[in-house]
Amino acid sequence: MQDVNWTALTIFVLLFAFITWLGFAAANWRRGDLDLLHEWGLGGRRFGTFVSWFLIGGDLYTAYTFIAVPALAFGAGAVAFFAVPYTIVAYPIFFLVFPRIWYVCHKHHYITAGDFVRGRFGNRWLALAVTVTGIVATMPYIALQLVGLQVVIGALGISGTGLFADLPLIIAFVILAAFTYSSGLRAPASIAIVKDILIYTTAFVAVIAIPIELGGFGKIFAAVPASKLLLATPGPNTTGAYSAYATLALGSALALFLYPHSLTGILSASSGRAVRRNAALLPGYSLMLGLLALVGFFAIAAGVAGLPEYAAGFKQFGNNFAVPALFLHSFPSWFVGIAFAGIGIGALVPAAIMSIAAANLYTRNIHREFINKNPTDQQEAQMARWVSLIVKFGALVFIIFVPTQYAIYLQLLGGIWIIQTLPPVILGAYTRWFNDRALLVGWATGIVAGTSMSAAVNLTPTFPLHFAGHTFPGYTALYTVILNIVVAAILTPVFNARLAQRTPLDETVASDYHA
Amino acid sequence: MDGPGKQRRAGSWWYLLLLVQFVAVLWPPFYNRIEPSWIGMPFFYWYQLLWVIIGAVLTAIVYFTTED
């Protein structure tokens, strides 16, 4: 590993110190009684359009995204750009569905997707399925944030042996856990603003300065091997890379807002109007993501993989080291400090929101539903605080003791699992037509089919579906959620006919879903 | 909470605009090519980046023409 980069490290530490202070100070921001769960876990639903934009953006575009998307472009080429159509189609879905969910959750004081499904379908087991899926899918996602943090800490030249090697990561996580515990969602909301300023600055400097240094986009793309520049044209009787690309984009977009941390960010908005406005404003981040994907090609053109000073980094972190190596290669040390701090803080913001979201789910839809049915407000908020600590500690242990590849596999499976909550949550926002038990069977079918299909292709994202002599490679999550919906739709009339007399009540009415 | 229903229904056709971006970016044969390139960037890349902007404009239009 290269020597410690003192200038960059100093700036990195100073910025971390600043956000630590900010995280604790945030407890007093738009002050509320933090002994209430909706104050701790949703920031009192007080964030307007502006703060929501930073919070939701900071939540969805994680440190891992900033490392992994360019790393995929660096390693695999054009296919990495699926992240762009993914975010393009995500926002219309967001625009259509989530203002409705905001309104109904506001009206009925729902804090989680589990609360909504419980109220809408009156079935606590269906709500439990949604809750457990959410928590299980979130855990490896938190762990992956730590990978982003690990890579930049390594790139700053900090190394050690044994437990000492993980000490910086542990310190960063203790800080994160402490300010989340004390300030709740207000902490990541305030830090998200700092994170975005740093990341935006880095992204724009990178896409302007580095191409100038490298002699323009023409030269950069000329350095990329022809096979990586475009998607492979499909052969006969298969839709090949085309269907894989499109289904990855669509499936990821459908899954995105089902993750608990997305909903936590959305529900913390102060009005449905703020949510709608954000659907039109959030694509600002997509542009940045697209530009950052190109940074993977800059790294190819700059030839960082062949430079001896970065060999150890690539050996340790693989292609995930491409972006840090490029920044070290292209930027002065002080700016490397700013860029790395942006990525590092970019790991803490989503990790904090994810742990809060998981804590809200456990507290509301497992503990309150099945263990202690009548907690006081204070007990409920205190429980969520403890759970947020446990969740983060679990992720930390995972990333220190388990190979990173396992977290990546689990996160892949997490995407397949979380999309199975689409029928009760997204379709449920529009219709109560589905039978609750049919939805539960659909969910179970999707989980089992998705997991086994994924295992059959050695935990890669796409499954080659054979049909009528043709092959349709596509994102397993999208295929299995279609199966899930079909099963639920077929079983709905069957269950309705048999169980008509005990159909559970829907506690929401049509007018709850809009202004 | 409940606004006048007739206003909300009016202009709901505008929502169809949101479908345009799905078609434009989810059909790779439209854009999986090098030429025409722009400032040295293959069509594949600048086309999709351009659709980020067009998609945002379309969503903004729907925002202003519909009620929540």
Side-chain angles (χ1 to χ4, degrees), chain A residues 209-286:
Chain A
I210 298 176
I212 292 174
E213 217 171 86
L214 295 173
F217 279 110
K219 280 201 174 156
I220 291 168
F221 282 100
V224 178
S227 61
K228 288 183 181 176
L229 213 47
L230 293 176
L231 302 175
T233 312
N237 298 330
T238 176
T239 48
Y242 287 1
S243 59
Y245 189 83
T247 53
L248 270 171
L250 181 60
S252 308
L254 289 169
L256 177 64
F257 295 108
L258 292 166
Y259 275 103
H261 62 279
S262 308
L263 196 61
T264 300
I266 293 164
L267 294 186
S268 70
S270 60
S271 67
R273 185 160 292 260
V275 176
R276 268 167 63 87
R277 256 186 219 146
N278 265 296
L281 294 173
L282 280 164
Y285 286 97
S286 312

Side-chain angles (χ1 to χ4, degrees), chain B residues 4-67:
Chain B
K6 56 182 185 293
Q7 271 184 11
R8 194 173 312 110
R9 287 284 145 237
S12 58
W13 286 100
W14 287 102
Y15 283 112
L16 289 177
L17 263 188
L18 297 177
L19 280 178
V20 177
Q21 46 201 316
F22 281 77
V23 179
V25 299
L26 293 181
W27 193 253
F30 283 163
Y31 54 81
N32 192 35
R33 67 191 82 231
I34 304 270
E35 296 297 338
S37 62
W38 174 67
I39 59 164
M41 200 187 283
F43 185 69
F44 180 83
Y45 298 94
W46 69 257
Y47 172 88
Q48 293 184 77
L49 288 175
L50 183 64
W51 268 97
V52 173
I53 299 167
I54 301 173
V57 171
L58 293 177
T59 314
I61 292 172
V62 180
Y63 171 78
F64 284 114
T65 52
T66 57
E67 297 280 317

Side-chain angles (χ1 to χ4, degrees), chain A residues 204-493:
Chain A
F204 279 106
V205 170
V207 292
I208 294 167
I210 298 176
I212 292 174
E213 217 171 86
L214 295 173
F217 279 110
K219 280 201 174 156
I220 291 168
F221 282 100
V224 178
S227 61
K228 288 183 181 176
L229 213 47
L230 293 176
L231 302 175
T233 312
N237 298 330
T238 176
T239 48
Y242 287 1
S243 59
Y245 189 83
T247 53
L248 270 171
L250 181 60
S252 308
L254 289 169
L256 177 64
F257 295 108
L258 292 166
Y259 275 103
H261 62 279
S262 308
L263 196 61
T264 300
I266 293 164
L267 294 186
S268 70
S270 60
S271 67
R273 185 160 292 260
V275 176
R276 268 167 63 87
R277 256 186 219 146
N278 265 296
L281 294 173
L282 280 164
Y285 286 97
S286 312
L287 198 58
M288 181 174 65
L289 180 67
L291 296 174
L292 277 167
L294 295 178
V295 171
F297 290 147
F298 300 175
I300 295 178
V304 286
L307 299 174
E309 61 264 45
Y310 305 126
F314 276 104
K315 188 161 175 276
Q316 192 180 352
F317 300 113
N319 288 344
N320 283 343
F321 198 67
V323 169
L326 179 70
F327 286 180
L328 284 166
H329 180 70
S330 316
F331 292 149
S333 291
W334 65 271
F335 196 75
V336 169
I338 289 179
F340 285 7
I343 296 172
I345 296 167
L348 298 190
V349 169
I353 304 172
M354 287 168 191
S355 70
I356 290 171
N360 289 348
L361 277 169
Y362 175 80
T363 306
R364 266 300 172 90
N365 308 108
I366 296 180
H367 201 83
R368 187 176 177 158
E369 186 71 61
F370 293 96
I371 298 167
N372 177 5
K373 286 188 197 313
N374 292 304
T376 64
D377 289 340
Q378 204 192 351
Q379 279 173 336
E380 197 178 49
Q382 191 56 42
M383 169 61 71
R385 290 176 168 198
W386 282 112
V387 176
S388 83
L389 287 185
I390 294 166
V391 166
K392 277 194 285 274
F393 184 71
L396 184 64
V397 169
F398 194 88
I399 215 69
I400 291 178
F401 293 105
V402 180
T404 307
Q405 190 56 41
Y406 288 18
I408 295 172
Y409 284 147
L410 278 173
Q411 206 265 340
L412 177 86
L413 287 169
I416 294 167
W417 294 333
I418 198 72
I419 204 172
Q420 308 306 336
T421 64
L422 183 149
V425 178
I426 290 187
L427 300 183
Y430 276 90
T431 175
R432 177 63 181 76
W433 179 81
F434 288 100
N435 176 285
D436 53 299
R437 290 170 189 222
L439 286 172
L440 200 52
V441 177
W443 168 85
T445 312
I447 297 273
V448 171
T451 309
S452 34
M453 279 162 75
S454 195
V457 290
N458 299 315
L459 298 172
T460 50
T462 55
F463 183 85
L465 194 69
H466 298 284
F467 183 71
H470 284 65
T471 308
F472 303 93
Y475 185 26
T476 308
L478 189 68
Y479 284 158
T480 51
V481 77
I482 293 170
L483 176 70
N484 173 347
I485 294 169
V486 169
V487 169
I490 291 171
L491 290 180
T492 286

Side-chain angles (χ1 to χ4, degrees), chain A residues 16 166-177 396:
Chain A
F16 255 73
D166 295 312
L167 198 59
L169 194 64
I170 295 171
I171 294 170
F173 236 52
V174 168
I175 292 172
L176 167 72
L396 184 64

Side-chain angles (χ1 to χ4, degrees), chain A residues 149-161:
Chain A
L149 198 54
Q150 245 179 346
V151 175
V152 290
I153 290 172
L156 283 167
I158 300 170
S159 56
T161 47

Side-chain angles (χ1 to χ4, degrees), chain A residues 8 10-23 54-55 57-64 66-67 145-150 152-153 156 169 172-173 175-176 179-180 187-200 202 336-354:
Chain A
T10 307
I11 290 177
F12 185 87
V13 169
L14 284 177
L15 283 167
F16 255 73
F18 173 65
I19 61 116
T20 304
W21 169 80
L22 192 61
F54 284 109
L55 180 65
D59 191 10
L60 303 182
Y61 297 83
T62 66
Y64 185 68
F66 295 135
I67 295 284
Q145 299 311 314
L146 299 188
V147 174
L149 198 54
Q150 245 179 346
V152 290
I153 290 172
L156 283 167
L169 194 64
F173 236 52
I175 292 172
L176 167 72
F179 66 59
T180 313
S190 57
I191 295 169
I193 299 173
V194 177
K195 172 222 152 185
D196 282 344
I197 293 170
L198 298 176
I199 291 272
Y200 256 111
T202 305
V336 169
I338 289 179
F340 285 7
I343 296 172
I345 296 167
L348 298 190
V349 169
I353 304 172
M354 287 168 191

